[in-house]
Amino acid sequence: MNEPLIAFFAVLCNVTAQLSMKYSSHETLANKWSYLTSPWLLLAVALYGLSFLLTIRVFAVNPLSVASPTMAGATFFLIATSSALLFGESFGLQKAAGILLIFVGIFFLTRSQ
């Protein structure tokens, strides 16, 4: 993949944005509209924007059929592992097998060029 560091930062921004959204939903808020000004939610919006801009660059210099699944697979893996660590969500054998199957699929996609 061309410019892998940009792809890495795009994925990292996306994952951090998703985790920030989840964290913002756990905050105890005084009224139901105050979540719109939650620092965690604002961080998520900013990171999604940065991820979007970085992803545009990654897609511009790589085949879409390789870059998109690779970045999605990395996102799936990082979300599953970090949500287990940070939020205590389950990470069982089925989830691990599913991620492994995603990586196997990405392997075959990247070799088919």
Side-chain angles (χ1 to χ4, degrees), residues 6 12-13 17 28 41 45 57 62 69 74 80-81 91-92 94-95 97:
I6 293 175
L12 199 58
C13 286
T28 304
L41 187 60
V45 170
R57 177 65 189 160
N62 291 288
T81 55
F91 191 92
Q94 282 185 317
K95 197 173 283 189

Side-chain angles (χ1 to χ4, degrees), residues 8-82:
F8 171 77
F9 282 118
V11 167
L12 199 58
C13 286
N14 187 299
V15 168
T16 307
Q18 290 183 48
L19 294 171
S20 295
M21 278 196 314
K22 175 79 171 181
Y23 192 76
S24 75
S25 71
H26 284 139
E27 292 181 327
T28 304
L29 302 170
N31 76 53
K32 66 180 182 178
W33 296 107
S34 64
Y35 71 90
L36 292 174
T37 58
S38 164
W40 292 105
L41 187 60
L42 297 174
L43 176 64
V45 170
L47 288 172
Y48 269 130
L50 181 56
S51 175
F52 180 79
L53 295 174
L54 293 171
T55 301
I56 290 171
R57 177 65 189 160
V58 172
F59 288 173
V61 298
N62 291 288
L64 186 60
S65 63
V66 173
S68 183
T70 302
M71 292 174 66
T75 300
F76 294 148
F77 172 74
L78 290 173
I79 287 295
T81 55
S82 54

